[in-house]
Amino acid sequence: MKVTLLPGDTATHEQSARILQHITNHWVSCCVYAAAKLNIADLLATGPQSITSLAGATATHPPSLYRLLRLLAANDLFEEISPEIFDNTAASTALISDIKGGMKEFVLAELGEFYLPWGNLVDSIRTGKTAFDEYYGGNLWDFYKTHQAEGLNFMKAMTNLTQFSEGAILERYDFSAFSTITDVGGGNGALLMAILKRTPEARGIVFDEPYVVKETAHLIAADPKVKDRCATAGGNFFVEVPAGADAYVIKYILHDWSDEDAIRILSNCSRAMKKDSKILVIDGVVPEGNAPHASKLMDMNMLALTGGRERTAAEFESIFLRSGLRLTRVIDLSISEVSIVEGKKV
């Protein structure tokens, strides 16, 4: 039932408590960042430890560290198994460093270099400008060129997000029809290598900036299951992409960019595609209506950080058509964070 209040009226406890919950969720997020920054889950990976031991290992104030972990334990992140003795929970193990599909690196980015720009979100809403650019005086990609430690962490975060979703992608899409697959903006090649392991007759190319694929080539060479079937190519997807593949995969790329920039990328893919090639955009797809959905959260993240956006199926169809492509279907996955938007040349 709709309840309307006017200035001077009194809010009910339930009304105010709902808003208070949203505020305090932010406090919990900050505590998760503190625990990740202090490597608490790593320290507990081998078993329970006392607050005294954890404080010594992290050079922190024991009573304050206890208050942090007490709050996180109340949210199922860590467990106080006996007075002032803590252990990991199933959830907190996702904060251990360098685990496949983990979230630690994403936490460090989102609540590290991204945190203060989010405080300028109101300005982004007013002007349409990117909060990150306004705060740092340059875009995200330039920032990482001069902040290499943060850039390396971000690359790991993106790899883990790929690993977080790759099972759902491989489960719902059959790549066996393709002899050659190009991963546009493929980073360290994690998704393409997983696809090639599932389709042993296929070959692939990881296409990204030259400095990125220089490192990717080492990872490919070290994997005996794909090293003879996977290559790298350096370049700029705003200029051109390798021609002649049966499939072009673009994962977590288009949502970083405005429609005009996304059309430039898609148009280059369209020109590179054969008549019967397919393009597979792996991004969030915003559903119609106002029900909660992960894509709506990521959409605001893109507004604040990159100037990009998540898109509805109709918006994908529009930018496809403007790029010489035809949307053929949207494939929902078993996770809500991403879908596969499939297309062909017009």
Side-chain angles (χ1 to χ4, degrees):
M1 181 179 67
K2 181 178 179 180
V3 178
T4 301
L5 294 178
L6 298 173
D9 291 344
T10 301
T12 66
H13 173 79
E14 290 77 11
Q15 290 167 330
S16 294
R18 181 69 180 273
I19 302 301
L20 183 62
Q21 182 181 23
H22 290 305
I23 296 169
T24 56
N25 284 343
H26 161 70
W27 298 349
V28 175
S29 298
C30 290
C31 290
V32 173
Y33 172 77
K37 192 75 173 176
L38 293 170
N39 299 312
I40 300 299
D42 293 65
L43 292 169
L44 295 176
T46 56
Q49 291 194 41
S50 69
I51 280 292
T52 301
S53 175
L54 290 169
T58 57
T60 55
H61 180 236
S64 298
L65 182 61
Y66 175 76
R67 291 163 68 181
L68 172 73
L69 296 187
R70 178 178 62 184
L71 180 279
L72 292 174
N75 287 271
D76 195 36
L77 290 163
F78 309 110
E79 177 185 8
E80 189 172 13
I81 60 174
S82 60
E84 298 195 353
I85 305 292
F86 285 86
D87 199 1
N88 275 325
T89 61
S92 67
T93 57
L95 293 175
I96 294 173
S97 301
D98 298 322
I99 61 169
K100 184 175 180 179
M103 288 288 113
K104 179 180 180 180
E105 290 78 13
F106 195 53
V107 168
L108 294 177
E110 284 293 338
L111 292 156
E113 60 266 26
F114 300 163
Y115 178 76
L116 292 174
W118 261 95
N120 290 344
L121 182 63
V122 171
D123 291 336
S124 287
I125 303 298
R126 285 179 173 146
T127 67
K129 295 181 180 179
T130 306
F132 187 97
D133 297 7
E134 296 295 298
Y135 183 83
Y136 287 107
N139 67 37
L140 179 66
W141 319 115
D142 288 339
F143 175 87
Y144 284 138
K145 289 177 183 177
T146 57
H147 295 74
Q148 294 185 357
E150 289 85 352
L152 178 60
N153 178 76
F154 182 74
M155 287 290 290
K156 290 180 179 179
M158 294 303 98
T159 297
N160 283 335
L161 286 180
T162 293
Q163 293 166 338
F164 170 75
S165 60
E166 75 177 32
I169 294 167
L170 295 173
E171 172 190 304
R172 293 298 302 275
Y173 197 89
D174 182 5
F175 290 88
S176 64
F178 307 128
S179 296
T180 55
I181 303 167
T182 294
D183 191 350
V184 178
N188 73 351
L191 178 60
L192 183 56
M193 286 192 281
I195 292 171
L196 294 180
K197 289 173 183 176
R198 183 68 68 93
T199 54
E201 302 303 316
R203 305 182 70 85
I205 297 173
V206 178
F207 176 75
D208 212 313
E209 295 278 357
Y211 76 92
V212 174
V213 297
K214 181 180 179 180
E215 298 302 319
T216 305
H218 297 306
L219 297 174
I220 293 170
D223 193 327
K225 293 184 178 180
V226 300
K227 66 178 183 178
D228 296 326
R229 297 185 292 121
C230 192
T232 61
N236 184 336
F237 52 46
F238 286 118
V239 178
E240 64 179 356
V241 303
D246 297 315
Y248 287 81
V249 176
I250 311 179
K251 173 188 58 63
Y252 300 154
I253 297 294
L254 292 191
H255 75 167
D256 288 331
W257 303 98
S258 67
D259 283 352
E260 293 307 316
D261 284 334
I263 289 166
R264 289 171 62 197
I265 299 168
L266 290 172
S267 295
N268 287 332
C269 291
S270 179
R271 281 188 285 272
M273 291 165 66
K274 299 181 294 186
K275 183 178 180 180
D276 58 350
S277 298
K278 290 186 178 179
I279 190 164
L280 307 172
V281 174
I282 301 173
D283 258 337
V285 176
V286 183
E288 301 295 338
N290 293 315
H293 194 269
S295 64
K296 297 174 184 178
L297 288 168
M298 187 59 75
D299 182 52
M300 295 306 298
N301 201 39
M302 295 300 101
L303 174 64
L305 302 180
T306 70
R309 62 186 302 158
E310 304 299 308
R311 296 174 172 90
T312 64
E315 288 167 339
F316 272 114
E317 184 174 30
S318 175
I319 63 172
F320 270 37
L321 286 173
R322 292 172 63 189
S323 308
L325 299 165
R326 176 172 60 86
L327 190 154
T328 53
R329 55 177 174 158
V330 175
I331 303 164
D332 291 329
L333 304 181
S334 57
I335 58 175
S336 63
E337 284 77 12
V338 292
S339 297
I340 300 175
V341 184
E342 181 191 76
K344 299 178 68 174
K345 294 186 76 162
V346 172

